[in-house]
Amino acid sequence: MKVLSINTASKKYNIYIGHNTIVQLNSIIKKEKITFYKSLIIVDKKVPKTFIRKINSQINSKKKLIYYFNSSEKNKNLNSINIILEKLFKNNFTRGDVIICVGGGIAGDVSAFAASIYKRGIKFINIPSTLLSQVDSSIGGKTGVNTKFGKNLIGTFYQPELVISDINFLKTLSQRELICGYGEILKHSLIANKYFFNYLNRYFSNIINLKSPFIEKSIYESCKIKKMIVEKDERENNLRKVLNFGHTFAHAYEAALNYSKKLNHGEAVLLGINSAIKFSDKKKLLKKSDYITIKKYFESSKLPTDIKKYFSLNDLNKIISFMIKDKKNSSEDINLILLKKIGKPLIDQRYKKQQLKKFLRKELSN
């Protein structure tokens, strides 16, 4: 088991990464000196009950409630937050009590947001159950819900007390879910570490098939990159913006499909990364040899890249409208994170909507 310490301006906490970490949950909580009297365990319905029983047996509190959350982008909304808040109020939870989330990124975002606003902040423990949540959403304290205007437009920054990442969860996931998480691992390598990208390039098959030590190293290295960025810029004032590489496109793709199961978040991120890479090349920002390397990598790994499988020219205006509403924008221009070379991102690259429209029109026409 590896321990990664996150030390932000607002809080310091540890991430435990390894096999069977959930059966050590009680001892880890004691070691971390986290105390509480009541616990609300919010469980993603997709998590197998064998894991829930193990976790339940590890949580010692005078009062314990379990709420099963139907995790989906469409349920990532204020109605779900109100249900959680009502449970907390009815059972008179105090700020000394805890919400424990067991689930993927959506469940984690919703649970953490509820924790952050209940009585201005209740303790929060995150037990991410998907590859996507283990390498990305459980780290850094971003919480939020969706609205009809776009993804994650209502939210807070709120750090957990503790994160427990058990690799055994991953064995229950489909190949599609694993690729969903892999998109964020790839993103981290592209924005921060060429050596890590080369590692992913070389061992892709071993990683995606959960072979040891490749999957463990990939999770740990990915978390290290996000740790480095979040510690320097907790509230996304500058450097942390690089974590949105590919996401301006990705969030627009998700929203344009009304968060359909046809396209999950990680697949959208992979499409978005590919779009950002192509746009970086088109604008002559990206080193040509690196562009060719990334392009070949996408081809050999057979990761999702073709937006025409999901959209037609009829969707163009809808995609652009969601890109305009992206929370990174501070003017009428669309703010993108692009790439200069592998490991060297470019933040605050602003373009007129007509430039993006022309680019996407060509992508949807070819």
Side-chain angles (χ1 to χ4, degrees), residues 8 140 157 227-243:
T8 68
F157 290 94
K227 159 192 159 71
M228 173 194 72
I229 293 167
V230 166
E231 286 182 340
K232 290 179 180 176
D233 180 15
E234 182 181 7
R235 294 184 172 265
E236 203 172 66
N237 294 315
N238 191 31
L239 176 64
R240 188 169 176 170
K241 293 176 184 177
V242 302
L243 293 172

Side-chain angles (χ1 to χ4, degrees), residues 279 283 350-359:
F279 194 74
K283 294 299 177 184
R350 295 180 174 86
Y351 295 91
K352 301 294 181 187
K353 72 175 183 179
Q354 292 304 326
Q355 292 175 281
L356 272 302
K357 204 169 184 178
K358 183 180 178 182
F359 167 73

